[in-house]
Amino acid sequence: MIDEEGAVPEAGEFAQRAEPFRRELLAHCYRLLGSADEAEDVVQETYLRAWRSYGTFEGRSSLRVWLYRIATNACLTALKNRGRRALPSGLGGPADDLDVPVGAEEADVAWLQPIADAPESQDPAAIVASREGLRLALIASLQYLPARQRAVFILREVLAFPAAEVADMLGTTVAAVKSTLQRARARLDEVDPERGRISEPTEPRTRELLGQYIAGFENADTAALERALRTDAAIELVGTRTWFSGRATCLRFLARVIGSPGDWRMIPTVANGQPAAAAYRRDDDGVYRAFGLGVLDVTDEGIARIVVFGGGPDLVGRFGLPPANPCP
C-alpha cells in the first residue's frame, strides 16, 4: 500500500526482512546469467519490484521463495534472444602453434565473468556447497542449457528447492519440472561428462599449489610452474579464443609472458569458490598496475586449469584489491 505522499509504509520492514537474501540472490542470478555485472543489475531490479509489491505480499510462500521467484523470472526475461556466455575452450580447439600471436580481444563474444567469493554461512558444509555451485566449469556448462532448463537445474540441484516450489516460481507443473530437470541433467552429462570435485581453496594442498603458482610468476621460475601443473593442464585467455592444452605447451606459453624476476606481483584471493591470484605487471615507470585475475582448478595432482581474465583495475576492484602497487 502507498500513502498520499507516495511512500511505502512497510519499506523499513521490507528492507530488514529482504536484505539478508541479497548475496545469495546475486549468486543465483550469476549462475543463470554467467555475468556478475548483469547479475547485480537483475538483483537491483528484483528488490525494486519486490519493494513496490510488498504491500500486496500475502505470505502464501516464504519471503525467500517470493524473492527467488521474482529474480528467476527477471533473469529469464534477460536471457531471451541472447546467446550463451563462453570460455575460450567452448569456442574451438586449443592452439597448437605458439608462433602464431595470441588473438586480439573479441568484443562480439559474450564472455563468462568471474565473481567474488564471499560465503556468509558459518556452517562449513554450507560454505562448501555454495562454492561448488559457483565453480567456473559448472557455470560454463550451464550456459549450454536453454534458459528454463538452466533455471530448473539450479533451483532443484544447486539450491534444493522442492519441485512444487519450483513449479510455482516458473508457473508450470511439478511433472514439467521433473521432465525439464531430466533433460538438463542429460545435456550437462553430454557437455561435461567428467565433472568432478576440485579442491577447496582452504585445503593445505590447494594453498601450496597456489603459492607455487604465485612464486613461479613473481620469480620468473618456470621450473616451479612445471612442478605445479598437471600433465594435462590447460590455460584459457578469456577475451580471446586462445587456449592451450598440455603442460608442455602451457609452459612454452608461460615462458613467453613471465618476463624477468620482479616483473609480476600477485595477491592470492578466491573467485567462484576457487583459488585465484590477482596479477599486477610492472610498467616502464616501475609502477605495478593491475592486469587481471587467474582462476585455478586445483586437484591433489596439481593445477588442472588456469582461466585468465584480463579485466585490469575494474576487475580486481570487484575483489576488494587495489588498482596498482600491491604490497610486495
Side-chain angles (χ1 to χ4, degrees):
M1 181 181 297
I2 300 177
D3 63 23
E4 293 179 357
E5 297 181 353
V8 179
E10 301 90 349
E13 176 189 327
F14 169 76
Q16 183 179 22
R17 293 185 62 195
E19 195 60 28
F21 301 113
R22 183 179 292 271
R23 192 174 297 279
E24 64 176 275
L25 286 168
L26 177 63
H28 174 59
C29 293
Y30 170 75
R31 292 182 186 105
L32 277 163
L33 300 169
S35 164
D37 294 332
E38 289 187 16
E40 288 184 354
D41 290 342
V42 171
V43 170
Q44 286 295 102
E45 179 184 346
T46 296
Y47 273 76
L48 181 58
R49 289 185 184 181
W51 174 71
R52 288 173 172 169
S53 303
Y54 186 61
T56 62
F57 175 58
E58 298 176 352
R60 286 191 296 268
S61 64
S62 70
L63 180 66
R64 179 173 180 262
V65 171
W66 186 59
L67 290 171
Y68 267 95
R69 177 176 186 166
I70 297 171
T72 301
N73 284 284
C75 286
L76 292 176
T77 298
L79 288 168
K80 286 181 179 178
N81 303 317
R82 202 199 75 179
R84 66 183 175 90
R85 287 187 172 269
L87 294 175
S89 59
L91 300 176
D96 297 321
D97 187 358
L98 271 69
D99 291 327
V100 176
V102 171
E105 290 197 9
E106 299 191 30
D108 60 333
V109 177
W111 299 105
L112 205 65
Q113 294 179 347
I115 192 169
D117 181 78
E120 293 184 333
S121 173
Q122 299 302 311
D123 180 2
I127 291 174
V128 170
S130 174
R131 284 173 170 161
E132 288 179 348
L134 290 174
R135 304 295 195 216
L136 274 177
L138 173 62
I139 304 302
S141 296
L142 288 172
Q143 296 295 303
Y144 286 90
L145 299 180
R148 287 182 70 85
Q149 283 188 23
R150 198 183 307 176
V152 168
F153 182 88
I154 293 168
L155 291 168
R156 289 286 291 122
E157 295 286 279
V158 178
L159 296 168
F161 280 108
E165 286 187 348
V166 174
D168 183 62
M169 289 182 199
L170 299 178
T172 187
T173 65
V174 171
V177 166
K178 292 180 178 179
S179 175
T180 301
L181 180 59
Q182 288 180 343
R183 293 196 300 272
R185 287 170 174 164
R187 179 59 175 144
L188 289 177
D189 286 342
E190 292 175 2
V191 172
D192 188 8
E194 298 181 357
R195 291 195 311 276
R197 180 180 179 274
I198 62 174
S199 300
E200 280 291 297
T202 54
E203 292 180 6
R205 177 60 172 160
T206 303
R207 294 198 299 267
E208 176 189 352
L209 287 165
L210 177 61
Q212 287 182 21
Y213 171 77
I214 290 175
F217 254 88
E218 293 186 337
N219 301 322
D221 184 354
T222 55
L225 293 171
E226 182 175 8
R227 290 192 296 272
L229 295 178
R230 281 188 356 187
T231 56
D232 60 349
I235 296 176
E236 303 199 43
L237 308 178
V238 179
T240 79
R241 293 175 181 265
T242 303
W243 67 288
F244 305 100
S245 181
R247 182 167 59 193
T249 303
C250 290
L251 287 170
R252 285 164 53 211
F253 167 72
L254 291 172
R256 295 190 175 198
V257 301
I258 202 171
S260 303
D263 282 352
W264 294 89
R265 286 181 183 169
M266 293 196 173
I267 300 177
T269 185
V270 179
N272 289 79
Q274 301 174 223
Y280 296 76
R281 185 165 54 189
R282 182 171 59 188
D283 285 341
D284 293 339
D285 59 3
V287 175
Y288 287 88
R289 292 185 171 86
F291 170 81
L293 192 74
V295 183
L296 280 56
D297 286 4
V298 175
T299 67
D300 289 342
E301 295 78 26
I303 297 171
R305 185 171 298 265
I306 304 166
V307 182
V308 180
F309 298 90
D314 289 342
L315 178 59
V316 302
R318 285 185 168 275
F319 293 79
L321 300 173
N325 282 334
C327 295

